[in-house]
Amino acid sequence: MDSARREEILKGLSDAVVEYEEDAAREWAQKALDEGVDAFDAIMNGLAAGMEIVGDLYDRQEYFVPELLMCADALYAGMDILKPHIKKESVPQRGQVVIGTVQGDVHDIGKNIIKLMFDVGGFTVHDLGRDVPLENFVQEQLRTDSEIVAMSAMMTTTMMGMKKVIEMIKAKNPNVAIMLGGAPVTKDVADLFGADGYAESAGNAVQEAIKMISRLREMHKE
Amino acid sequence: MATMTPRERIQKLFKKEPIDTMPVFSGQGMVTIQAIQKMGIRFPQVHTKAEYLAESAITSAELFGFDAVIIPYDMCTVPEALGRGVSLYEASEDILYPTVPSKWEKLEDVEIPPDFLQRGRMPIVDEAFRILKSKQNGKYAIGAWVLGPFTMAGQVIELDLLLKGVKKDKERVVAFLDKMTDLVIKVAQHYQELGADYISIRDMGTGTDLLSPRMWQSLIMPNLVKIFKALKPPRVNHICGSTNLIIEMMNECGAEALSVDHKNDMAESRKKVGNDVLIFGDFDAYATLNQMDVSKVEGVIKGCIDKGADAVWPGCDIWPDVKKENVEAYVATIHKYGKIPSPAVGRL
């Protein structure tokens, strides 16, 4: 296919995400497949590229969380079509992640957005859901031998649970990377708990997620 | 200098009449683990009996010198009364606030039982208000709070459905929030009838971290205006998270006082709304009372006074497992620096 048409399709995917048009995302994803654009290329340089623009709009306070959620839906709509067609050789092996919100917390918007980042990036995601008993994180990490455990808590009242999980996991496997998210989580808390990364809100999670997607996209280009 | 009872101090503060010193209180839960331990119970139990609720509030106030007793502590009493159940985490060794175990999947599924005020733990909360009224002889002000319509909606419906709905399905979401508004009014009026001396409406999930100022104006503000119109003073409009972009609109909702958390630049808010408006805030409760070295607490609390708080309020419920010495420092600092007038309230 000529590069102008590839660019056009990638832009169509990106625009669909930015304009939160789920139907358009599906249509452009189908066009990508029909016309021979590599599925992983379409995800990373179409859908994920759109999400980068969304991140800028959020930074500039043009978009807020409702828009972010709808953009994420559009991204998933496109990805559902593209994902089954990803060629194994075009995706670097990223590894596995265990994700969930800790016991006592039933809010999972931030968690779901971070999950999206891992999905886009080609990780295998083990989503434990929300209000997850602490020991389940440890068990799931051991069962799957995941490299990353990502936990979210929206309230200070549930945040302390994260510290326990980190201690339990690090005692068994010090190499597991721990990511924390949620409104009460600050850099100080992440440091204090021995976490390797953090995001303090759903919006911030998006920014972190987009930064990570950008890095993955850079790596993909190299 | 004339001295006042804690209740008189708070009542006068709300009327912007001169007081002896700044009261130590909040519009959110102030129950402490020290009070719970003194009573010989565990945190999950405190939500289940009127006597526990009332006694833990009074004991917390007595132990530390708070000016108010505030109930209830958890945000599930109303959703539970609507039939959504409650998770109390009775087996957990940690302090976990109750949560709503399941939510309605569609807006049209939400039904408000006409007798919801008599369901779930609502009668327990009622009885706790009665005990507070009779037991402490009018010494402390009795504070009550109700979640605002949007935040209440998020307790009974998936929040992402609601957030996306405000863009995709605005008409139905507006109608649903209207229903939630009537619910909030019923609960808040009920607490006022039971003798609450002040009431805080906490639509905490509506800061500009989540919603745009434009959306706040069209979707949140009209409901808050309706609520404050239906309630007797004194009323507090509390929103946490980023609020600097909406502080002027918050001020137009009709409450006597605005409450914000540490994400608000209070000096800037003060400039925007002027010195005649009561502003409460804005320290990070968990960082200040649970985590920080005690030597730093005075600086944080004094900072709130210096920035123009008429009362130094935590931005959220106090997380019960506080460090005793930090709470003592918080109270002592307010007593030490609260003797000079605040922007909206003079001193005797």
Side-chain angles (χ1 to χ4, degrees):
Chain A
M1 97 175 326
D2 68 65
S3 70
R5 180 60 182 157
R6 173 182 168 269
E7 289 298 326
E8 194 183 344
I9 290 174
L10 294 179
K11 187 171 184 308
L13 287 164
S14 168
D15 287 350
V17 170
V18 176
E19 301 298 329
Y20 40 90
E21 299 277 2
E22 288 177 50
D23 289 343
R26 281 188 206 100
E27 282 162 26
W28 282 107
Q30 195 54 52
K31 277 181 196 158
L33 292 179
D34 294 346
E35 298 182 35
V37 178
D38 178 77
F40 192 67
D41 182 28
I43 290 175
M44 293 306 269
N45 299 312
L47 298 171
M51 210 62 191
E52 273 188 46
I53 298 169
V54 172
D56 285 342
L57 291 167
Y58 182 80
D59 280 345
R60 295 206 303 266
Q61 295 193 312
E62 284 185 40
Y63 274 14
F64 291 82
V65 175
E67 288 86 355
L68 295 183
L69 294 173
M70 290 187 293
C71 294
D73 279 354
L75 191 150
Y76 266 124
M79 207 161 71
D80 284 346
I81 289 173
L82 293 166
K83 214 174 175 181
H85 301 276
I86 293 175
K87 295 183 195 111
K88 263 200 173 150
E89 61 272 20
S90 55
V91 194
Q93 274 308 306
R94 301 275 190 223
Q96 302 183 81
V97 54
V98 174
I99 194 165
T101 71
V102 298
Q103 185 177 52
D105 215 317
V106 294
H107 300 91
D108 60 359
I109 287 178
K111 185 267 288 176
N112 288 341
I113 289 173
I114 286 288
K115 181 187 168 192
L116 170 76
M117 163 194 80
F118 286 116
D119 276 339
V120 169
F123 286 81
T124 304
V125 182
H126 306 284
D127 185 0
L128 299 178
R130 55 193 181 185
D131 201 12
V132 178
L134 304 180
E135 56 275 16
N136 291 18
F137 284 96
V138 185
Q139 284 163 6
E140 188 69 359
Q141 190 281 322
L142 285 173
R143 188 186 71 78
T144 58
D145 200 23
S146 292
E147 294 86 350
I148 298 173
V149 174
M151 289 179 281
S152 159
M154 202 188 89
M155 300 182 292
T156 42
T157 49
T158 49
M159 187 174 66
M160 295 306 288
M162 293 172 158
K163 187 167 187 259
K164 283 192 180 169
V165 177
I166 295 171
E167 283 164 3
M168 287 190 273
I169 290 173
K170 294 260 175 178
K172 287 186 173 145
N173 189 349
N175 294 326
V176 176
I178 309 279
M179 287 184 67
L180 302 184
V185 180
T186 61
K187 185 168 187 317
D188 287 347
V189 169
D191 290 346
L192 190 72
F193 286 8
D196 302 287
Y198 82 103
E200 67 188 20
S201 63
N204 191 240
V206 173
Q207 287 160 314
E208 291 301 313
I210 288 164
K211 270 186 226 156
M212 202 150 163
I213 291 172
S214 303
R215 284 195 292 272
L216 293 172
R217 290 184 63 221
E218 288 301 317
M219 283 159 64
H220 181 60
K221 278 180 201 157
E222 282 164 12
Chain B
M1 186 175 69
T3 53
M4 306 171 152
T5 66
R7 183 164 179 255
E8 287 166 350
R9 191 172 292 130
I10 287 173
Q11 285 174 327
K12 285 194 181 290
L13 173 96
F14 275 113
K15 288 181 190 158
K16 293 188 272 187
E17 291 173 6
I19 49 177
D20 52 354
T21 189
M22 184 181 281
V24 181
F25 76 125
S26 162
Q28 284 101 222
M30 293 184 89
V31 63
T32 63
I33 194 71
Q34 289 79 9
I36 290 168
Q37 283 167 348
K38 197 176 169 195
M39 290 164 63
I41 59 168
R42 294 172 63 245
F43 187 64
Q45 291 173 275
V46 85
H47 317 289
T48 58
K49 266 192 177 176
E51 293 78 11
Y52 290 162
L53 266 182
E55 196 183 331
S56 59
I58 295 174
T59 308
S60 295
E62 281 172 349
L63 280 176
F64 292 104
F66 302 152
D67 289 74
V69 285
I70 304 123
I71 56 163
Y73 305 132
D74 71 284
M75 299 175 190
C76 305
T77 49
V78 177
E80 187 189 358
L82 301 183
R84 299 320 302 164
V86 62
S87 301
L88 289 169
Y89 304 105
E90 280 154 307
S92 173
E93 291 167 24
D94 298 309
I95 289 181
L96 293 175
Y97 275 92
T99 57
V100 182
S102 71
K103 300 182 181 184
W104 277 292
E105 284 176 13
K106 289 186 287 218
L107 294 180
E108 54 269 27
D109 291 345
V110 179
E111 272 181 42
I112 315 248
D115 62 342
F116 78 94
L117 287 172
Q118 282 88 51
R119 292 190 182 205
R121 286 176 296 137
M122 297 303 276
I124 291 176
V125 178
D126 290 4
E127 183 56 23
F129 274 112
R130 287 188 202 104
I131 297 172
L132 285 181
K133 203 84 191 134
S134 66
K135 240 192 176 176
Q136 44 103 3
N137 277 333
K139 181 180 171 187
Y140 300 109
I142 298 173
W145 56 269
V146 185
L147 294 179
F150 192 83
T151 312
M152 185 73 86
Q155 287 285 79
V156 296
I157 273 280
E158 290 300 338
L159 196 54
D160 64 338
L161 254 179
L162 202 63
L163 284 166
K164 286 185 276 193
V166 298
K167 299 287 288 186
K168 283 180 165 174
D169 200 3
K170 196 170 174 188
E171 216 168 279
R172 281 175 65 230
V173 169
V174 166
F176 181 67
L177 289 176
D178 219 36
K179 200 164 156 180
M180 289 292 113
T181 300
D182 293 339
L183 174 80
V184 171
I185 289 172
K186 270 190 195 143
V187 179
Q189 283 178 335
H190 182 62
Y191 289 167
Q192 289 196 321
E193 282 161 17
L194 287 165
D197 291 302
Y198 61 94
I199 191 142
S200 180
I201 302 298
R202 305 166 63 181
D203 219 353
M204 17 193 234
T206 68
T208 54
D209 319 81
L210 278 179
L211 300 176
S212 70
R214 212 170 44 180
M215 197 172 276
W216 200 89
Q217 185 172 25
S218 71
L219 208 67
I220 308 299
M221 189 174 171
N223 293 326
L224 289 176
V225 168
K226 188 175 170 189
I227 289 169
F228 290 122
K229 207 175 260 179
L231 298 176
K232 291 181 292 189
R235 303 152 292 190
V236 184
N237 187 359
H238 170 83
I239 294 173
C240 53
S242 305
T243 44
N244 277 98
L245 296 174
I246 54 171
I247 192 82
E248 287 150 305
M249 292 190 280
M250 281 174 70
N251 188 37
E252 287 166 22
C253 290
E256 280 63 41
L258 308 177
S259 161
V260 291
D261 79 359
H262 56 282
K263 280 195 175 175
N264 183 283
D265 177 343
M266 207 200 280
E268 195 194 308
S269 293
R270 185 53 85 186
K271 259 191 234 160
K272 282 184 174 171
V273 300
N275 283 346
D276 199 37
V277 174
L278 290 169
I279 303 183
F280 302 156
D282 62 345
F283 73 93
D284 181 338
Y286 180 73
T288 311
L289 302 179
N290 300 72
Q291 280 188 305
M292 198 171 277
D293 187 86
V294 65
S295 62
K296 293 182 180 164
V297 173
E298 180 172 317
V300 171
I301 303 301
K302 182 175 181 295
C304 297
I305 296 174
D306 292 343
K307 281 182 289 181
D310 293 296
V312 179
W313 273 25
C316 199
D317 305 88
I318 285 182
W319 194 58
D321 198 9
V322 284
K323 291 185 190 172
K324 180 172 173 280
E325 62 274 20
N326 287 30
V327 182
E328 287 166 351
Y330 144 61
V331 175
T333 307
I334 294 180
H335 288 163
K336 185 172 167 186
Y337 296 100
K339 294 202 165 45
I340 53 165
S342 66
V345 184
R347 293 293 180 269
L348 289 171

